[in-house]
Amino acid sequence: MLPGAQEFNKTSYVVLNPSYFLFEAWKTFAEHSHLKVWNALINDGMDLLGAMHFGKTRLPLDWVAFNADGSVAPAVGYSNRFN
């Protein structure tokens, strides 16, 4: 899930803000839907969150680039801090 409709889908990566990962809401959606996509989103989101640790604190940054090859990196041109 992207933070907005524009400016976050780049050519070879998407920009994500992990604070927008709504695990509890997705869990509720999964409990009330026949669609398996919600559980996949939860699992993939947890995997991504586990990979988004940077710097001395090893915490996820506010803005992370999720590259086409599956790697993550600090998003260029966005805040490189953790809130």
Side-chain angles (χ1 to χ4, degrees):
M1 299 189 87
L2 296 178
Q6 298 178 3
E7 304 301 321
F8 298 98
N9 191 358
K10 309 297 184 179
T11 303
S12 61
Y13 65 96
V14 293
V15 177
L16 303 174
N17 184 323
S19 70
Y20 296 175
F21 290 11
L22 304 171
F23 292 104
E24 286 303 312
W26 298 342
K27 182 179 173 187
T28 300
F29 296 158
E31 291 169 356
H32 293 90
S33 173
H34 68 281
L35 300 175
K36 301 206 182 305
V37 68
W38 297 112
N39 286 319
L41 186 60
I42 292 165
N43 293 334
D44 292 348
M46 291 298 288
D47 289 344
L48 271 173
L49 196 56
M52 293 178 179
H53 44 80
F54 304 98
K56 289 184 232 175
T57 62
R58 307 295 292 161
L59 294 171
L61 299 174
D62 289 349
W63 299 102
V64 178
F66 179 46
N67 299 305
D69 67 1
S71 65
V72 293
V76 175
Y78 292 82
S79 168
N80 63 355
R81 61 189 174 125
F82 172 80
N83 279 326

